[in-house]
Amino acid sequence: MNIPQELLRHRVLHRLKISQRITLFLIYGVELTPNAQLLSNAEILRLANLFVSSGVNKIRLTGGEPTVRKDIEDICLGLSKLKGLETLTMTTNGITLARKLPRLKECGLSSVNISLDTLVPAKFEFMTRRKGHEKVMNSINAAVDLGYHPVKVNCVVMRGFNDDEICDFVDLTREKPINVRFIEFMPFDGNVWNVKKLVPYSEMMDTVIKHFPSIKRLQDHPTDTAKNFAIDGHQGRVSFITSMTEHFCAGCNRLRILADGNFKVCLFGPSEVSLRDPLRDGAEDDELREIISAAVKRKKASHAGMFDLAKTANRPMIHIGG
Ligand SMILES: C[S@@+](CC[C@H](N)C(=O)[O-])C[C@H]1O[C@@H](n2cnc3c(N)ncnc32)[C@H](O)[C@@H]1O
């Protein structure tokens, strides 16, 4: 459902002015995209500066895989110096993170999300078609040791693949400040989504309550994408990202810039507008702001629902980032 344009404009502008939690996603590392099409370090900083000077205070680097970019440290250093930016974070597969994290921290990376869908090395290898489970676990531990608090671990739950591991993931939160975030499986191009593979939040919660009856809901911020919970005696937290069965579009203040400079106002919306092309054609900051503002005003009140999304052409998640 679309909400009236006037109301939407009011809602978005209001949010741009007052929200301290607008998030800009910069996305890198999609293999096969020729380098000339990708935003350069300087272009990323110019665009990021435009957003931060307009009120964005959190930037997430995702992908693709941000750590494959050779200039990732320089990018972090440049972004972390932007006046007004409070959080610089990254979503990574954790394969090379343990080695790179000390330097990334020095360059201003203030928090980290590590993707891990299984605690079973053989399943990891089957799913990702490479070894590396131990490396990801080492990265999680390295992040904890470096004082990241919490270290977020993203786990996409899929029926028949890892739904039997939910309680093992919750156990990770017992001794360490790890925030395990269970994500409902979402449809994107190429991931052969099927409603039968979706494990709804309600079902995940039933499983967790049976084994961890002291689980309690925490107060969320209106723009949180996750429902957050604490368990007695656990240092870490458990969260659920319920994009499919209980969407949180009304509080969503995320904007995304893809590696090729396309701007996207909704993870699930196929519409994109290039910021790279006008930037390379010499557009002034004000012209870029107008393009951004027009796109933001087209942000819909909510996504189309999982069954329609499954039929809609959108980029694969690996191109959009989380
Ligand atoms: C596209 S990934 C970003 C790639 C990143 N370099 C990584 O592997 O962490 C962003 C997050 O979205 C999650 N994700 C990917 N596909 C998904 C899907 N179909 N449904 C739900 N979450 C998904 C991933 O697990 C990851 O935590």
Side-chain angles (χ1 to χ4, degrees), residues 66 106 152 255 298:
E106 283 170 9
K152 294 186 179 175
L255 304 170
R298 289 194 293 270

Side-chain angles (χ1 to χ4, degrees), residues 136-183:
V136 182
M137 294 308 292
N138 289 344
S139 291
I140 293 172
N141 290 328
V144 171
D145 292 345
L146 279 168
Y148 283 99
H149 192 127
V151 175
K152 294 186 179 175
V153 173
N154 288 354
C155 172
V156 181
V157 180
M158 285 164 278
R159 193 177 306 285
F161 171 68
N162 59 357
D163 50 337
D164 57 338
E165 295 187 54
I166 290 178
C167 293
D168 297 337
F169 269 97
V170 174
D171 266 331
L172 291 181
T173 68
R174 203 185 290 274
E175 308 292 344
K176 293 191 175 174
I178 291 174
N179 177 195
V180 170
R181 294 149 38 99
F182 295 111
I183 308 177

